[in-house]
Amino acid sequence: MKLYLLSLAAGLLVGVIYSLLNIRSPAPPLVALVGLLSILAGEQIIPVGKRFLAGAPLHSAWDAAKSASHIFGELPGRHATQQFSHSAAVQPPETGS
C-alpha cells in the first residue's frame, strides 16, 4: 500500500511541475519520453556516483549498478520465461511408455 501512496504522491508532484511549466498533461510524446528517460537516468546517479567516487572506473560502476538494464530494461516476465525455457532444455522430455 505504501508503494501506491508514494506513486500517487510522485504523480501529484509531477502534475504540479507540469502546471508550473505550463505543459498540458498528457505531455506531448517527445516531452514525455525525455522526462521518463531523465527520471530513469536520475535514479542511477547516486549508485553509479558512489561506486565512481569509491575509485571504480566509470564503466565498472555503470555495470555494477546494473544501470543499462535499469534504463533500457527488459519486458516484465522475460526473466521468468528464460528460466523456464532453460530448465525445459536441461531436462529431457518424458517419453510415453
Side-chain angles (χ1 to χ4, degrees), residues 1-91:
M1 182 69 174
K2 183 178 177 182
L3 181 64
Y4 292 105
L5 292 175
L6 289 173
S7 179
L8 178 64
L12 289 172
L13 177 62
V14 170
V16 169
I17 293 170
Y18 274 8
S19 178
L20 292 172
L21 296 174
N22 293 323
I23 298 173
R24 289 185 298 150
S25 187
L30 183 59
V31 172
L33 290 175
V34 169
L36 289 172
L37 180 61
S38 65
I39 289 169
L40 290 172
E43 289 176 344
Q44 297 307 302
I45 290 173
I46 300 299
V48 171
K50 283 181 180 178
R51 288 180 173 87
F52 183 69
L53 292 174
L58 184 57
H59 64 86
S60 296
W62 177 268
D63 288 341
K66 297 184 171 84
S67 297
S69 64
H70 180 76
I71 291 176
F72 301 113
E74 294 182 11
L75 294 175
R78 181 175 176 196
H79 184 66
T81 304
Q82 288 176 343
Q83 284 181 341
F84 176 74
S85 64
H86 177 69
S87 64
V90 171
Q91 299 173 354

